Amino acid sequence: MSSLNIRVEGLAETLKGLREIDRELPKEVKRGLREDVRPLFTAYQSYARGLGGSGQYAANASMRTISAGVKIANSDPGAGPIEFANPGAFYLNGPRAGRRMGVPHAGKPRALMRAVDEYEDEVRDRVESRTEKVIQRYLNG
């Protein structure tokens, strides 16, 4: 299983501060996190489908909200090699030891890290904007 936790720097401290003002404010921010990360997740699934194969790698991708942000994971047993192994890599141990891994012939990063590289700034901007709007709504009643 391969996973990546998307964390916005300072978000935990921001949520803690908002909680001290009003217990509902951090909940409001967190409700929108999945929406804020959706463009990155959609790009990840698209890049994963583009790697070829049966499409199972893209189908096994998931996104869920966790206490500190959003977690994107892939339950495909080959997620690690698909995402990170070099073409020509082979298994080091287990029943397939010595055999070649089915690694896509694609540039690095392949899917998840490529999506992160391309959408990290947008996700951060969306979360910051959402937090600002929540604060403004609170201040303006």
Side-chain angles (χ1 to χ4, degrees), residues 8 12 20 23 31 37-38 41 46 51 63 74-75 77 102 105 113 115 129 135 138 141:
V8 177
E20 291 173 5
R23 296 190 67 73
R31 267 186 229 116
V37 177
R38 178 68 56 193
F41 184 70
S46 174
L51 294 175
M63 176 175 61
N74 195 309
S75 61
H105 289 278
M113 298 312 297
S129 176
I135 292 169
Y138 174 79

Side-chain angles (χ1 to χ4, degrees), residues 11-136:
L11 181 62
E13 295 83 1
T14 302
L15 293 175
K16 183 180 176 187
L18 290 173
R19 190 175 303 111
E20 291 173 5
I21 297 169
D22 183 334
R23 296 190 67 73
E24 292 302 310
L25 294 178
K27 292 177 186 175
E28 194 173 334
V29 171
K30 289 175 75 171
R31 267 186 229 116
L33 289 178
R34 287 174 57 95
E35 180 184 326
D36 296 339
V37 177
R38 178 68 56 193
L40 186 152
F41 184 70
T42 302
Y44 165 47
Q45 287 183 307
S46 174
Y47 298 147
R49 277 190 294 278
L51 294 175
S54 67
Q56 208 50 31
Y57 180 56
N60 286 333
S62 65
M63 176 175 61
R64 65 185 175 98
T65 305
I66 58 174
S67 63
V70 173
K71 180 177 186 174
I72 295 175
N74 195 309
S75 61
D76 190 295
I82 289 169
E83 190 67 38
F84 300 109
N86 294 315
F90 58 93
Y91 291 94
L92 298 177
N93 50 34
R96 295 183 178 171
R99 295 172 78 190
R100 293 176 70 87
M101 289 182 176
V103 178
H105 289 278
K108 286 204 170 187
R110 291 190 177 92
L112 181 57
M113 298 312 297
R114 179 178 172 193
V116 169
D117 287 347
E118 292 179 10
Y119 287 89
E120 182 178 22
D121 291 340
E122 180 180 339
V123 168
R124 184 181 50 251
D125 292 345
R126 285 170 165 249
V127 172
E128 288 173 354
S129 176
R130 178 174 305 283
T131 304
E132 183 180 336
K133 287 176 185 173
V134 167
I135 292 169
Q136 288 295 329

